[in-house]
Amino acid sequence: MRRSAGAYALFVVAVLGFASGLPLALTGQALQAWLSTEGVDIATIGFLSLVGLPYTFKFLWAPLMDRFEPWPALGRRRGWLVLTQLGLALSLWALSATPPAGALQAFALLAVGVAFVSASQDVVIDAYRTDLLLPAQRGLGASLNVLGYRLAMILSGGVALIWTDSVQGSGWSWPQVYRLMALIMAGAALLSALALPRLPAPPADSAGPAPGAARNDLLGFASVVAAVAVGYLATLHLATPLAQALLGPWLAGGKLAPALQSRWVDLLALLMGLGFTLPLAAWAARRARFETLLGGLRGYFSQPGAALFLLFIVFYKLGDAFAGALMTPFLLKAMAFGSAEVGVVNKVIGLWLTLGGALLGGLLMLRLGLWRALMLFGVLQAASNLGFWWLAQYGKGSLPGLLIPAFDWGFVALTQATPVDGGLLMVIAFENLSGGMGTAAFLALLMSLTQQRFTATQFAMLSAFASIGRVWVGPLAGVLAESIGWPDFFIVSTVLALPALAMLWAMRASVQRLEVPTDAPVDD
């Protein structure tokens, strides 16, 4: 199949990056800001990062998006895009109508629903982008994807904080913000239906399993869902009491508050439940002959060094994810920065710097190559975590700041001049520049590891492993930050970035083999 090579394809990648990034903050940092304003404690906010679990398990239903075509008039990829974007509009609207303080469990379940549909949208966007771009365009395409992605996060994670500041901003409520985001996703669905190019159908020999396997795919997915449900019940009724029996006596002799002791028990129960659920789900997939999933996994693991690449994918962004897991509560509650100040610096100025970092990273990759880019940007990512240690250690006011004058741009306004802490600005600038460059190189690596016939399945699996840090460290981050304090917490996040760099050094030859010359033929 011939991929589109024109400038319009690169523009489409940027637009889809925007659609992908908008809901992410709404189940992550914007959600944390909403919960912080409602008075929810840090440890609980950390555990509520688990609403992002669908991002780590999306490879389980990604095969259905490779196999089925929900809207034949639009094509396989565009059909799924429109369906998921309409689903996001509806689920965000429902979340806006649910107060977190009065109905925390219902709120969390709705947030999981938003994350599920958002992760599903990411599956099809990743596959569409990979099928659309020529191999030589992947570095620049990854940068433009990050550009659109970060622009969306400026809106949903930055401008939204200014909107909700009752003193210096617009004084909006968080439900109003979420309703607006729902309307934007409805507009994205319309755009996907009318303006995106339709990809040619893949050749018959690369379309995945035979038509007779459709029934097995549906049964396989149902079996995996059933296995996850059994694992959840086992975690609730078996792992939690066992974790209490194991940790209870040891914690009782310590100085931790009872609420924090309970969070450590919950964390151990979660790990035990995962140790039971994941093997059970794998067994269920094999027994039900979930062929599209199994075929995609076999295709990926047939590549040299596949398992090592998978481990590297988990570790490369782990330190970065650990430091950023509770960034919004850290800045709002621990450092006592204002909502508008955090919105301007961390979400607007910072994300613009991320865009610059992503574009710079894509351009540098043309000269550096994939391996050297990953190494350089990985070192910078690790070093950026020490900036947050400095901020936590020495506090705000350590460096001269700026004063941003009041403004009114129509869609966002500051009603009065807003002070910006110099230390906060320095730390955020370094972190976002390095993070943007690292993300661009990382996306190029993921695209290089996929096979076209299983693009959605394999990219979903790889990106799911990449999101393990962002989602799973939240419970540990919240408990650890309250247990050891913020300065030591950021030292730990820096140490966690080092194993990936050691692995990358050892994998130099394997990564360099993925670097595609600009005149290389398209690989089907």
Side-chain angles (χ1 to χ4, degrees):
M1 182 177 72
R2 183 176 180 83
R3 298 182 181 93
S4 172
Y8 186 66
L10 294 172
F11 169 75
V12 165
V13 166
V15 171
L16 292 179
F18 184 92
S20 177
L22 193 75
L24 182 64
L26 300 176
T27 56
Q29 293 185 342
L31 193 74
Q32 291 177 358
W34 188 356
L35 293 168
S36 296
T37 60
E38 294 284 337
V40 180
D41 63 272
I42 293 291
T44 300
I45 292 174
F47 267 86
L48 284 174
S49 69
L50 292 177
V51 302
L53 278 177
Y55 289 104
T56 67
F57 289 114
K58 59 187 178 182
F59 65 92
L60 295 177
W61 62 90
L64 303 182
M65 295 179 158
D66 265 335
R67 179 67 187 87
F68 295 102
E69 191 172 349
W71 205 326
L74 294 175
R76 179 175 51 157
R77 301 301 188 203
R78 286 197 307 160
W80 281 114
L81 264 179
V82 173
L83 193 63
T84 54
Q85 287 165 350
L86 288 175
L88 274 169
L90 292 173
S91 55
L92 285 170
W93 195 277
L95 188 63
S96 73
T98 307
L104 188 59
Q105 185 174 2
F107 183 86
L109 290 174
L110 281 171
V112 170
V114 173
F116 172 80
V117 187
S118 176
S120 302
Q121 181 195 220
D122 286 354
V123 168
V124 65
I125 286 176
D126 291 338
Y128 184 93
R129 181 183 65 244
T130 305
D131 289 345
L132 185 69
L133 295 178
L134 293 165
Q137 291 178 303
R138 287 171 179 165
L140 184 56
S143 294
L144 290 172
N145 177 81
V146 175
L147 172 66
Y149 189 88
R150 295 295 182 171
L151 280 173
M153 293 187 70
I154 287 175
L155 182 63
S156 62
V159 173
L161 282 170
I162 300 173
W163 283 339
T164 57
D165 193 304
S166 59
V167 177
Q168 295 165 315
S170 303
W172 286 24
S173 69
W174 279 107
Q176 286 177 301
V177 170
Y178 275 68
R179 284 194 290 271
L180 175 62
M181 300 304 165
L183 293 175
I184 292 174
M185 289 310 306
L190 183 63
L191 186 67
S192 295
L194 300 179
L196 264 60
R198 177 170 178 164
L199 297 172
D205 62 351
S206 65
R215 180 173 176 273
N216 280 350
D217 281 350
L218 290 173
L219 289 176
F221 178 65
S223 299
V224 170
V225 171
V228 171
V230 171
Y232 170 76
L233 293 175
T235 302
L236 193 63
H237 297 292
L238 298 177
T240 300
L242 182 57
Q244 178 63 48
L246 292 172
L247 282 185
W250 179 71
L251 290 172
K255 298 180 180 180
L256 293 179
L260 201 52
Q261 292 181 23
S262 176
R263 291 292 179 244
W264 279 107
V265 170
D266 291 342
L267 185 61
L268 178 60
L270 177 64
L271 295 174
M272 294 169 64
L274 280 174
F276 171 75
T277 304
L278 293 180
L280 180 64
W283 175 83
R286 288 194 300 269
R287 291 287 296 177
R289 298 178 183 178
F290 195 172
E291 190 53 39
T292 308
L293 173 62
L294 298 175
L297 297 180
R298 279 195 301 268
Y300 171 76
F301 283 104
S302 67
Q303 302 177 85
L308 192 60
F309 271 114
L310 211 56
L311 189 61
F312 171 74
I313 285 168
V314 172
F315 280 108
Y316 187 72
K317 281 287 190 178
L318 184 60
D320 204 36
F322 202 85
L326 294 169
M327 187 56 58
T328 300
F330 165 67
L331 296 176
L332 290 176
K333 300 185 76 171
M335 301 303 299
F337 290 116
S339 178
E341 185 177 9
V342 172
V344 169
V345 178
N346 189 37
K347 306 301 183 181
V348 178
I349 297 176
L351 288 177
W352 274 112
L353 290 169
T354 304
L355 299 181
L359 292 174
L360 178 61
L363 294 173
L364 287 175
M365 283 179 63
L366 297 175
R367 182 173 295 273
L368 293 174
L370 183 59
W371 182 84
R372 287 190 294 175
L374 285 167
M375 178 61 75
L376 174 61
F377 303 159
V379 170
L380 292 176
Q381 282 181 166
S384 71
N385 289 351
L386 293 176
F388 291 108
W389 165 82
W390 177 87
L391 189 63
Q393 185 73 30
Y394 295 102
K396 62 181 180 180
S398 301
L399 294 178
L402 303 173
L403 189 66
I404 297 181
F407 62 82
D408 187 349
W409 295 343
F411 70 97
V412 61
L414 281 178
T415 59
Q416 55 185 279
T418 300
V420 170
D421 184 77
L424 175 64
L425 184 59
M426 179 190 71
V427 170
I428 293 298
F430 184 32
E431 194 273 336
N432 282 274
L433 279 170
S434 61
M437 290 189 287
T439 299
F442 193 56
L443 278 177
L445 171 69
L446 297 190
M447 285 190 283
S448 298
L449 289 171
T450 59
Q451 299 167 317
Q452 187 187 344
R453 58 178 175 166
F454 294 113
T455 307
T457 302
Q458 292 180 353
F459 203 107
M461 179 188 70
L462 296 175
S463 58
F465 273 80
S467 69
I468 284 176
R470 176 171 55 80
V471 175
W472 288 103
V473 302
L476 175 59
V479 173
L480 196 61
E482 288 205 350
S483 299
I484 67 176
W486 288 106
D488 289 342
F489 170 80
F490 288 116
I491 292 293
V492 171
S493 74
T494 304
V495 172
L496 288 175
L498 301 181
L501 299 178
M503 289 183 66
L504 184 59
W505 184 265
M507 297 166 61
R508 180 171 185 167
S510 298
V511 175
Q512 287 178 334
R513 281 195 292 268
L514 298 174
E515 298 176 4
V516 181
T518 56
D519 58 349
V522 176
D523 176 19
D524 282 339

